[in-house]
Amino acid sequence: MKTFHASLLLTLPLLALPAVAQDVRVGLVSYWPMDEVSPDGLTTPDKAQLHTNLTLLNMTAANLAVGHSGNAMTFNGTNQLLWADTGTGANPGLPLQNNVRKTICMWIKGDGPAQQDRRFFAEASMATNTPMFNMGTDSAASGRTGKVDIYIRSDANAATVNHAKSNGTPLDNTWHHIAMTDDNGVVRYYFDGVPDTSALTYTRPVMTLNTISFGGIMRQTGPAGLFSGAIDDAAVWNRILSQAEIQQVMASGISTPVPPLVIASRLGPYRQGDRVRFSLETKGFEPTTWQWKLNGADIPGATESTYTTPPLTAALQGNYTALVNGTEVSSTAAVAVTSDPAPSVTTNLVSWWPFNAVDVSGFPTTTPDPWGGHPLSCTDIDGSALVPGQFGTAMEFDGTTRIA
């Protein structure tokens, strides 16, 4: 069994510290470690709090085997797959293809050349066989390789992507990490954390999908394209992961559960008197109660989905968190309050003309700006225009021709 430890996310940088990198769990829709069968004996759990548990079709705990990390799920290629009814958009983030940008990651072990056009990941429909998005083995009838093959079909039964193949060959019956990003129809593969050299661009079609599956396609007429092999640590996001993030997931897995994320209306530094508005991003559950906290203590009356601080003082700095639904502890937003600088008349001063000198060495005559370096040009003015002033000298104007 995999062991993961929940960790708090620091969404705001402390003063004088560099910005904290984005947590890889941001945008995580579902994560299936495939380590276990749920106590109900019918599913394997989704650990990302979306709770889209995958139903076992003709599978039991006997399908668990040593995987790349902990256990993995094995498939016989005959009558077995994992699937879930996602609805057409009722679950946040699923169907995955409803998202303009998405990432799919998993460890996989399968013999691509030995099985033609078998699908290891798919989204389809229980209402019709027509629309689908799937990744599978090489569809070639002969001369098959270990390439990954993508097929996309619209509601109108048009093959938008008709078996586009990767250049890399990760389906060689040993464990490999496969990641696919889809940025509004621009597809990129990463095999074992390294970008594949293939290029795929397509126009996103209309696809009314309501199932997600691993090890085959689940659609109106039942399972199809069943895959023989093993899958471990599968996850999907509603955003594009960077190569560094994909490598992080490949190397370290995903810590669960995914805490609610505290989002600040703006980043620091914060001055005395500023206000900060906090909100929450949750994945996989609908919040019904909130309690905002400062340094672990309840903030009286702060029981709405958002919280705006009073004008900040030193007493209001520290760690802001929220307790959601009575049990879900959020990430931490750190606020440090910086005192206002000492008042100074020179703050934001642009120019200063003391009118205590006239430079007649060039044309035109000028009087200097010793602060900002913007001397004033003078007309009909020389040293005789300098007279005693409030501070040192002043410039005397005759109301006729003298201009500075």
Side-chain angles (χ1 to χ4, degrees), residues 59-116:
M59 299 173 70
T60 66
N63 289 90
L64 294 173
V66 176
H68 183 272
S69 177
N71 289 331
M73 282 288 179
T74 61
F75 305 84
N76 63 10
T78 303
N79 65 349
Q80 297 177 340
L81 58 70
L82 299 169
W83 77 287
D85 183 341
T86 61
T88 57
N91 289 335
L94 292 176
L96 190 63
Q97 299 310 313
N98 286 0
N99 301 293
V100 173
R101 295 171 180 83
K102 60 195 74 76
T103 301
I104 304 166
C105 287
M106 71 187 77
W107 285 96
I108 191 164
K109 179 181 179 183
D111 188 346
Q115 46 187 327
Q116 179 190 5

Side-chain angles (χ1 to χ4, degrees), residues 385-396:
L386 297 178
V387 299
Q390 184 69 28
F391 300 97
T393 60
M395 185 75 74
E396 184 176 66

Side-chain angles (χ1 to χ4, degrees), residues 44-363:
T44 189
D46 174 5
K47 297 291 189 177
Q49 292 185 338
L50 183 55
H51 304 312
T52 305
N53 297 339
L54 297 173
T55 297
L56 281 64
L57 180 65
N58 297 317
M59 299 173 70
T60 66
N63 289 90
L64 294 173
V66 176
H68 183 272
S69 177
N71 289 331
M73 282 288 179
T74 61
F75 305 84
N76 63 10
T78 303
N79 65 349
Q80 297 177 340
L81 58 70
L82 299 169
W83 77 287
D85 183 341
T86 61
T88 57
N91 289 335
L94 292 176
L96 190 63
Q97 299 310 313
N98 286 0
N99 301 293
V100 173
R101 295 171 180 83
K102 60 195 74 76
T103 301
I104 304 166
C105 287
M106 71 187 77
W107 285 96
I108 191 164
K109 179 181 179 183
D111 188 346
Q115 46 187 327
Q116 179 190 5
D117 199 19
R118 300 301 180 96
R119 320 301 171 82
F120 53 82
F121 173 81
E123 287 191 307
S125 172
M126 293 300 286
T128 170
N129 284 344
T130 301
M132 65 176 65
F133 174 100
N134 53 67
M135 301 166 63
T137 63
D138 195 337
S139 60
S142 61
R144 289 187 297 275
T145 66
K147 295 181 177 181
V148 175
D149 186 308
I150 286 185
Y151 183 78
I152 303 174
R153 192 165 65 200
S154 70
D155 284 354
N157 203 28
T160 305
V161 176
N162 193 6
H163 296 293
K165 297 173 177 58
S166 66
N167 287 332
T169 55
L171 300 174
D172 62 1
N173 212 29
T174 61
W175 283 109
H176 290 284
H177 190 263
I178 290 179
M180 189 210 78
T181 64
D182 184 342
D183 190 353
N184 196 24
V186 179
V187 173
R188 170 172 285 186
Y189 289 117
Y190 295 84
F191 300 141
D192 297 324
V194 178
D196 190 53
T197 56
S198 60
L200 170 60
T201 302
Y202 70 97
T203 300
R204 297 178 69 241
V206 175
M207 293 183 290
T208 306
L209 306 168
N210 58 31
T211 69
I212 189 168
S213 56
F214 291 89
I217 308 167
M218 179 57 87
R219 57 185 181 180
Q220 183 184 37
T221 54
L226 297 171
F227 172 77
S228 175
I231 298 175
D232 194 4
D233 255 25
V236 293
W237 286 258
N238 60 11
R239 68 178 179 91
I240 302 297
L241 266 62
S242 68
Q243 182 181 1
E245 289 178 309
I246 289 169
Q247 291 173 343
Q248 176 186 339
V249 170
M250 182 180 70
S252 305
I254 302 170
S255 297
T256 56
V258 182
L261 298 175
V262 176
I263 300 172
S265 56
R266 68 177 186 84
L267 298 179
Y270 303 105
R271 301 286 187 184
Q272 293 193 55
D274 288 350
R275 292 175 182 264
V276 184
R277 180 179 181 272
F278 296 111
S279 59
L280 286 168
E281 177 185 283
T282 59
K283 292 296 177 185
F285 65 95
E286 292 299 323
T288 56
T289 65
W290 304 263
Q291 176 58 66
W292 291 91
K293 297 173 178 285
L294 173 57
N295 297 326
D298 290 356
I299 300 173
T303 57
E304 301 295 329
S305 60
T306 62
Y307 173 67
T308 301
T309 66
L312 290 176
T313 64
L316 295 177
Q317 65 184 353
N319 294 322
Y320 285 82
T321 57
L323 187 66
V324 182
N325 291 355
T327 59
E328 303 290 347
V329 180
S330 76
S331 64
T332 298
V335 172
V337 179
T338 301
S339 299
D340 291 334
S344 173
V345 72
T346 60
T347 301
N348 296 330
L349 180 63
V350 176
S351 289
W352 170 49
W353 298 279
F355 295 126
N356 58 8
V358 176
D359 183 358
V360 296
S361 63
F363 180 84

